[in-house]
Amino acid sequence: MNVHFLISLLSNYKIMAQLQKSIDKRNALIKATIELVNNNGFHATPMSKIAKMANVSPGTIYLYFENKQDLVNQTYIEVKAEYTKYAFANYNEDACVEKSFEVIWKRIADFKLKECEYAFFLAQCDNTPIIDEASRQEGIKHLQPLLDLWARGKQEGVIKPIDDYLLYAYSINPLSFLLTIQKRAAFTLSKNQIEEAYQAAWDSIKLK
Amino acid sequence: MNVHFLISLLSNYKIMAQLQKSIDKRNALIKATIELVNNNGFHATPMSKIAKMANVSPGTIYLYFENKQDLVNQTYIEVKAEYTKYAFANYNEDACVEKSFEVIWKRIADFKLKECEYAFFLAQCDNTPIIDEASRQEGIKHLQPLLDLWARGKQEGVIKPIDDYLLYAYSINPLSFLLTIQKRAAFTLSKNQIEEAYQAAWDSIKLK
DNA sequence: AAAAAATGAATGAATGTTCATTTTTTAATA
DNA sequence: TATTAAAAAATGAACATTCATTCATTTTTT
């Protein structure tokens, strides 16, 4: 269900305003969830605190989400969708594999380092059992363009003919580690270091 | 406090047996903690379950650990120590940088893929706020030999002159991702793929 | 005035921790 | 060695707290 499409169908401004209000509330809840889980962990994030941070009554959460698990699942899916949307926003398939990869990689780096709250939340979900397997699967879907690019790269002999998991582990996932360090140590990756990181990523998967 | 040193001081076998029993109980608690946290997450791992799995009364846990947080902290430190001990067990500084790195890398891979319960637990702790910052610091200490090797490699112009965090992110950390995949997808890295992973690791940090 | 949305106090289940009691171990004595 | 009293370890029921969730009531919107 695409919210913007729905809105475009509505002629009544009051309804639109109402709907916007609902969306705002939902977003506030998701934002609060991310912030609290990031700082305290899932185990120390009660619904009451989420409600308070979102300026909403605890009961209201249940108008938007089935239960706590559902809230976290949906938060995960939403953040993951934003992540991949950002990653592929300005990607077109015309460029050569190496250039295309660089563009995508840098968008991902951009997202992870700038929207580091989002990225940290994803890292937590990806490394713990707090997310349903179904939601996890849902989150992976949008990565297809990258997999397609790699397939092309393998065919052209530009990228190592190894499993996609390996390619991902070495060229993309390290960014998650770096962002975690950055968040924890109050240390910031310089522009130069991002370039070095990109080189390491490309070196690890390029052929010859 | 080194337990083996203590034992060597004791002449009375009964005391030794007693001490062994205590150690067994403590180990059972730590093992249960790892297993439950891995499968259910920290938030869904009550002390009562840990006690049950360790065949111990809930109250007994508090004879060995201050509280739940302390139990998890100590579990983390213990597992991390085992990990690094294993990693550097057969390392000697005589070989060349590349060979030394390969030896350490393969030991780490070995540990992470064979003792995958341990490694998965570490990955969880490293990516969430369930561990005290102090315990985290404690866990990092034993990584020094690798940092020293990298320093030597940089000096000799064999390894890229980039931050250790970057070296770690690209050459070591990807194994954590691979092990997570392996645990989740019931997919096993083949011997060949481990070799490919090593190549990717080395390619990402080697100079030239 | 009717309908919908939001509230927040109340509920009941779950959880971390304690402590009075029981069980096991130790050390002394016969 | 056998007996026994003191000490230590372990137990698990009980406690206090916290938390997710509900629902009767209030507020807001139609």
Side-chain angles (χ1 to χ4, degrees):
Chain A
M1 185 191 68
N2 185 315
V3 172
H4 296 96
F5 177 67
L6 263 183
I7 289 179
S8 73
L9 287 179
L10 300 171
S11 52
N12 188 318
Y13 287 109
K14 283 192 184 173
I15 291 179
M16 275 181 62
Q18 191 55 29
L19 189 51
Q20 184 57 48
K21 210 169 153 190
S22 288
I23 294 173
D24 287 347
K25 221 165 261 186
R26 189 171 179 281
N27 285 342
L29 283 167
I30 285 184
K31 188 164 179 247
T33 302
I34 294 169
E35 193 166 334
L36 288 168
V37 170
N38 276 358
N39 291 321
N40 311 326
F42 184 66
H43 70 288
T45 300
M47 296 295 258
S48 55
K49 270 194 193 171
I50 296 175
K52 196 164 284 173
M53 181 169 274
N55 282 313
V56 141
S57 151
T60 305
I61 301 183
Y62 293 85
L63 300 175
Y64 293 85
F65 303 95
E66 253 178 64
N67 50 39
K68 193 179 179 185
Q69 185 65 59
D70 182 49
L71 167 58
V72 178
N73 285 342
Q74 289 203 39
T75 301
Y76 174 78
I77 291 174
E78 205 129 313
V79 173
K80 196 85 170 193
E82 261 186 75
Y83 162 63
T84 41
K85 188 180 142 203
Y86 189 96
F88 299 121
N90 59 357
Y91 165 58
N92 79 69
E93 306 182 3
D94 299 338
C96 73
V97 171
E98 179 170 358
K99 189 60 197 170
S100 288
F101 177 75
E102 185 180 346
V103 167
I104 293 174
W105 190 95
K106 290 202 168 150
R107 287 288 288 184
I108 292 179
D110 224 37
F111 183 89
K112 292 214 180 185
L113 298 174
K114 280 187 188 144
E115 305 291 342
C116 100
E117 287 298 315
Y118 285 166
F120 188 71
F121 181 79
L122 290 181
Q124 251 191 99
C125 293
D126 287 331
N127 287 285
T128 62
I130 64 180
I131 292 293
D132 280 355
E133 189 52 33
S135 305
R136 215 186 286 287
Q137 292 302 327
E138 174 74 25
I140 294 183
K141 282 185 184 169
H142 314 286
L143 219 64
Q144 199 54 47
L146 183 59
L147 304 187
D148 292 343
L149 178 66
W150 282 341
R152 180 151 65 97
K154 290 177 195 174
Q155 204 159 21
E156 294 178 8
V158 184
I159 285 181
K160 292 179 182 171
I162 60 181
D163 194 288
D164 287 340
Y165 283 134
L166 283 170
L167 295 178
Y168 194 87
Y170 281 91
S171 67
I172 305 295
N173 200 64
L175 283 167
S176 294
F177 175 80
L178 292 173
L179 117 95
T180 302
I181 296 292
Q182 173 160 296
K183 180 175 163 68
R184 215 166 260 147
F187 130 103
T188 320
L189 273 168
S190 67
K191 264 226 158 96
N192 195 36
Q193 284 177 318
I194 292 175
E195 202 55 49
E196 289 168 352
Y198 169 69
Q199 263 315 316
W202 178 245
D203 285 346
S204 71
I205 67 168
K206 74 162 189 241
L207 202 55
K208 201 176 68 67
Chain B
M1 184 191 67
N2 185 316
V3 171
H4 295 96
F5 176 67
L6 262 181
I7 290 180
S8 75
L9 289 180
L10 300 171
S11 52
N12 188 319
Y13 288 108
K14 282 192 184 174
I15 291 179
M16 275 181 61
Q18 190 55 30
L19 190 51
Q20 184 56 50
K21 209 169 155 189
S22 288
I23 293 173
D24 287 347
K25 220 165 263 188
R26 189 171 179 283
N27 285 342
L29 283 167
I30 285 184
K31 188 164 178 246
T33 302
I34 294 169
E35 194 165 332
L36 288 168
V37 170
N38 276 358
N39 291 322
N40 311 326
F42 183 65
H43 70 287
T45 300
M47 296 295 258
S48 54
K49 270 194 193 170
I50 296 174
K52 196 165 285 175
M53 181 169 274
N55 282 315
V56 141
S57 151
T60 305
I61 301 183
Y62 293 85
L63 300 175
Y64 293 85
F65 304 95
E66 252 178 64
N67 48 41
K68 195 180 178 186
Q69 184 65 58
D70 182 49
L71 167 59
V72 178
N73 285 342
Q74 289 201 41
T75 302
Y76 174 78
I77 291 175
E78 207 130 309
V79 174
K80 196 84 173 194
E82 260 186 77
Y83 161 62
T84 41
K85 188 179 143 205
Y86 189 96
F88 300 120
N90 60 354
Y91 165 58
N92 79 68
E93 307 183 4
D94 299 338
C96 72
V97 171
E98 180 170 356
K99 189 63 196 165
S100 288
F101 176 76
E102 185 180 346
V103 168
I104 294 174
W105 189 95
K106 290 202 166 149
R107 286 290 286 184
I108 292 179
D110 224 37
F111 182 90
K112 292 215 178 185
L113 297 174
K114 278 187 189 143
E115 305 291 343
C116 101
E117 287 297 314
Y118 285 166
F120 188 71
F121 182 78
L122 291 180
Q124 249 191 102
C125 293
D126 286 331
N127 286 286
T128 62
I130 65 182
I131 292 293
D132 280 355
E133 189 52 34
S135 305
R136 214 184 287 287
Q137 292 301 327
E138 173 77 23
I140 293 182
K141 281 185 184 168
H142 314 288
L143 219 63
Q144 199 55 45
L146 183 59
L147 304 187
D148 292 343
L149 178 66
W150 281 341
R152 180 151 66 95
K154 290 178 195 174
Q155 205 159 22
E156 295 178 8
V158 183
I159 285 181
K160 292 180 182 172
I162 59 181
D163 195 287
D164 286 341
Y165 282 134
L166 282 171
L167 294 178
Y168 194 86
Y170 282 91
S171 68
I172 305 296
N173 201 63
L175 282 167
S176 295
F177 175 81
L178 291 173
L179 116 93
T180 303
I181 295 294
Q182 174 160 296
K183 181 175 164 65
R184 213 166 263 148
F187 130 104
T188 319
L189 272 168
S190 67
K191 264 226 158 93
N192 195 37
Q193 284 177 317
I194 292 174
E195 203 53 50
E196 290 167 351
Y198 170 69
Q199 264 315 316
W202 178 245
D203 285 345
S204 70
I205 67 168
K206 75 161 187 241
L207 202 53
K208 196 180 75 65

